[in-house]
Amino acid sequence: MKRVLVALLAISMAAGALTGCGSKGSEKTFTVGFDAEFPPYGYRDDNGEYVGFDLDLAAEVCKRQGWELVKQPIDWDAKDMELSSGAIDCIWNGFTMNGREDDYTFSDPYVDNSIVVVVAKDSDINKLSDLAGKVVDVQADSSGLAALQGDDATDENKELTASFAELQQVADYNTAFMNLESGAVDAVVLDIGVAKYQMSSRGDAFRMLDEQVSSEQYAIGFKKGNTELKDQVQKTLDEMVKDGTFTTIVNNYTDYNLPEMVCLGE
């Protein structure tokens, strides 16, 4: 019996030692939920890697915190479920905070964004009122959709939307621009940074209206009440602003209007 007890004690001590090594060597993971077709904030590059402005910021935060970054592409209309279930730690991907302040714990806003309209280069649409009777594409559950017919949409935008022949919701902007290119729709409503990216990558086939649908701000969305994690990330972002790293990352995306849109640290 004594030999058995000694053997069990030895096994227990060995297991404890292994457990201690595992916890000491492990890193905290920080899982960012993002739309993989929302450039320049998050997307898949030609090498199949997930890249983008927001992911670059997240990577630097994780580097400074000693966390392992997990880039988790999600269906945008399932983002709330992903966050509430704990599958992701935050929504960080050109995420509009306006009108959602009571639903999430947000970081400070870091981008001033505008919702714009893109049409074919030879289109007869030159101002918002010209969209009357037209077919318009917008991404499902996007800030563009919210600006047109959400609870916080202006009366003018609701009237504008009511004048459309049809407002179609698509899963991603690649589909929307394919529809626009083929003539299946007359216009696409979307964020200005994404619009600039799509237009620059598709030649000179499209143009942007001078009139904008609305303006808004981007922030990082955490689960409601998760102020501890929000504060950790915000503190690190503030440090990145002070030492110039934030600006360095911003300047990697000059083609997408980001330097003019960034508001964090101003």
Side-chain angles (χ1 to χ4, degrees):
M1 176 63 77
K2 184 180 292 185
R3 291 179 180 177
V4 173
L5 290 174
V6 170
L8 288 174
L9 180 60
I11 293 172
S12 176
M13 292 175 64
L18 290 172
T19 302
C21 290
S23 61
K24 183 177 180 180
S26 64
E27 289 182 308
K28 170 183 168 60
T29 59
F30 181 61
T31 304
V32 171
F34 68 101
D35 180 350
E37 296 190 35
F38 198 67
Y41 302 96
Y43 61 101
R44 191 191 294 267
D45 67 10
D46 293 337
N47 297 320
E49 299 293 327
Y50 293 123
V51 297
F53 174 60
D54 285 344
L55 294 178
D56 286 353
L57 292 177
E60 181 64 21
V61 168
C62 287
K63 176 182 176 182
R64 296 183 181 213
Q65 289 283 358
W67 299 341
E68 177 188 352
L69 173 62
V70 178
K71 304 174 183 179
Q72 182 59 56
I74 58 174
D75 291 330
W76 195 243
D77 56 359
K79 60 185 178 297
D80 291 343
M81 180 184 67
E82 298 279 1
L83 187 61
S84 62
S85 70
I88 59 176
D89 292 310
C90 68
I91 302 168
W92 196 344
N93 190 215
F95 189 35
T96 303
M97 68 182 299
N98 308 81
R100 296 183 170 124
E101 292 89 345
D102 295 334
D103 301 325
Y104 306 87
T105 290
F106 277 108
S107 70
D108 292 345
Y110 62 97
V111 167
D112 287 322
N113 184 53
S114 299
I115 302 299
V116 299
V117 178
V118 174
V119 298
K121 184 179 181 180
D122 58 356
S123 172
D124 59 356
I125 300 172
N126 296 299
K127 53 186 183 297
L128 293 180
S129 59
D130 292 338
L131 292 171
K134 305 297 186 181
V135 180
V136 179
D137 262 7
V138 68
Q139 187 184 36
D141 202 28
S142 67
S143 52
L145 179 62
L148 290 173
Q149 61 178 30
D151 292 339
D152 294 321
T154 63
D155 291 340
E156 291 81 1
N157 283 347
K158 290 179 179 179
E159 290 174 8
L160 174 66
T161 306
S163 74
F164 299 164
E166 184 180 0
L167 178 62
Q168 295 183 164
Q169 297 184 39
V170 295
D172 55 77
Y173 287 117
N174 185 53
T175 300
F177 273 84
M178 289 175 61
N179 291 342
L180 185 59
E181 188 171 23
S182 70
V185 302
D186 301 296
V188 179
V189 174
L190 71 170
D191 306 69
I192 189 170
V194 182
K196 283 182 171 288
Y197 173 85
Q198 292 286 354
M199 292 171 66
S200 67
S201 64
R202 296 173 184 271
D204 60 352
F206 309 103
R207 59 183 172 84
M208 188 188 307
L209 301 190
D210 291 333
E211 263 188 289
Q212 297 179 344
V213 176
S214 68
S215 62
E216 62 190 20
Q217 292 182 312
Y218 286 166
I220 310 163
F222 299 86
K223 187 176 180 179
K224 187 71 174 177
N226 193 359
T227 55
E228 181 179 357
L229 182 57
K230 184 269 292 184
D231 289 345
Q232 286 180 284
V233 173
Q234 186 65 58
K235 182 176 181 292
T236 308
L237 282 175
D238 291 342
E239 292 170 355
M240 290 162 56
V241 170
K242 289 179 181 178
D243 65 25
T245 306
F246 188 88
T247 300
T248 298
I249 295 173
V250 169
N251 289 336
N252 291 332
Y253 295 89
T254 54
D255 292 342
Y256 312 121
N257 209 44
L258 281 179
E260 292 79 14
M261 295 161 60
V262 166
C263 59
L264 186 63
E266 291 182 347

